[in-house]
Amino acid sequence: MMKTLERPLELLYPLPVILVTTRSKKDKNETDNIVALSWVGIIDSDPPTININMSKGKYSGKTIKATREFGICVPRATNIKEVDICGSTHGDEIDKFKLTGLKKVQATEIDVPLIGECPIQMECRLEDVIDFGRHEMFVAKVVKTHVDEQYFQGSRADFKGMGLLCYVDGSYYRLGDYMADLFFCKKSMKGEDLKEPKDEQ
Ligand SMILES: Cc1cc2nc3c(=O)[nH]c(=O)nc-3n(C[C@H](O)[C@H](O)[C@H](O)COP(=O)(O)O)c2cc1C
């Protein structure tokens, strides 16, 4: 027997946990803020375009609408406490960089700090805001992406060692086991070596 739910959304899993950084006044680093978000996604590859979704009226949302710039920093599970603080406090009431001790690093294209502890950092420019019932979708171009060298293999970021945080239905998880590269079945059909799903980590 299947149970039918009234509120199915949170079963679309897992979502990444990201830290979005903002600066509300140009060159004024005392106005820097961090917000934890999980309702986010990829929209297009060329130009690289993403979306972040926020309930209406949030301080960070208002800042992004005004400055049209923000950073996306992907935290490791070791920073779960700092993430939780950024997701439960308000930037117009408290300095979250000071509160968490997270390290600011300079972005190259935007006037917003990035977070040093995060192995993946993106610089984003707002393109559009789409109004939904309770939430707004912020559509943005990724104008620069930085990946910590130690998690880079060949031409790709190596997610196995990063220990990234995921969000599932109101709880935190750590990104799980690597199994195989995409289309490994197709490769085997062409007579190439089948990459068996690996039991790593
Ligand atoms: C893991 C996590 C994920 C979250 N995801 C979202 C989200 O996708 N959209 C949203 O509006 N709020 C989300 N929140 C809540 C915001 O982070 C929270 O409201 C925050 O205090 C807003 O900060 P601000 O007042 O500085 O803008 C999330 C919180 C946590 C801890």
Side-chain angles (χ1 to χ4, degrees):
M1 281 281 280
M2 296 295 281
K3 196 169 167 57
T4 305
L5 303 179
E6 299 286 317
R7 216 173 147 265
L9 276 183
E10 301 272 89
L11 300 185
L12 190 62
Y13 82 98
L15 296 167
V17 172
I18 62 165
L19 293 174
V20 165
T21 49
T22 56
R23 172 170 292 164
S24 43
K25 292 214 175 80
K26 194 163 168 42
D27 298 327
K28 297 247 188 272
N29 61 7
E30 64 274 21
T31 66
D32 295 347
N33 189 34
I34 315 171
V35 58
L37 296 180
S38 280
W39 288 17
V40 304
I42 298 172
I43 295 181
D44 203 354
S45 52
D46 190 14
T49 309
I50 54 88
N51 68 291
I52 59 172
N53 304 308
M54 267 189 270
S55 55
K56 288 179 186 169
K58 286 213 160 121
Y59 173 68
S60 350
K62 288 182 197 161
T63 305
I64 293 170
K65 282 184 198 168
T67 63
R68 305 190 69 81
E69 295 183 329
F70 61 91
I72 289 182
C73 301
V74 185
R76 304 184 65 217
T78 45
N79 287 119
I80 186 170
K81 193 173 161 203
E82 292 81 2
V83 166
D84 207 56
I85 291 172
C86 293
S88 52
T89 51
H90 302 291
D92 49 351
E93 296 170 358
I94 201 143
D95 182 336
K96 297 192 207 180
F97 273 100
K98 276 197 184 140
L99 188 64
T100 58
L102 287 170
K103 189 177 152 210
K104 288 183 195 182
V105 295
Q106 187 74 40
T108 56
E109 305 288 323
I110 58 175
D111 182 32
V112 172
L114 302 170
I115 299 172
E117 287 82 352
C118 295
I120 299 173
Q121 305 160 2
M122 296 173 188
E123 304 185 28
C124 303
R125 285 222 172 85
L126 185 67
E127 288 284 308
D128 203 359
V129 181
I130 304 170
D131 190 345
F132 291 92
R134 291 178 57 183
H135 283 72
E136 286 169 318
M137 178 189 278
F138 295 76
V139 176
K141 277 197 185 125
V142 180
V143 292
K144 227 17 168 247
T145 303
H146 315 273
V147 180
D148 187 335
E149 274 178 351
Q150 66 170 308
Y151 300 114
F152 218 78
Q153 264 196 351
S155 60
R156 291 175 68 189
D158 177 16
F159 282 82
K160 291 185 218 81
M162 282 193 218
L164 299 179
L165 264 185
C166 303
Y167 170 89
V168 183
D169 193 20
S171 303
Y172 295 103
Y173 287 75
R174 195 195 311 262
L175 185 65
D177 297 344
Y178 166 82
M179 291 183 69
D181 285 351
L182 215 64
F183 309 133
F184 70 97
C185 290
K186 208 170 161 189
K187 281 180 196 160
S188 76
M189 285 187 282
K190 278 190 198 156
E192 292 175 31
D193 285 345
L194 173 65
K195 271 191 192 164
E196 293 287 356
K198 283 184 198 158
D199 205 5
E200 290 193 2
Q201 278 188 340

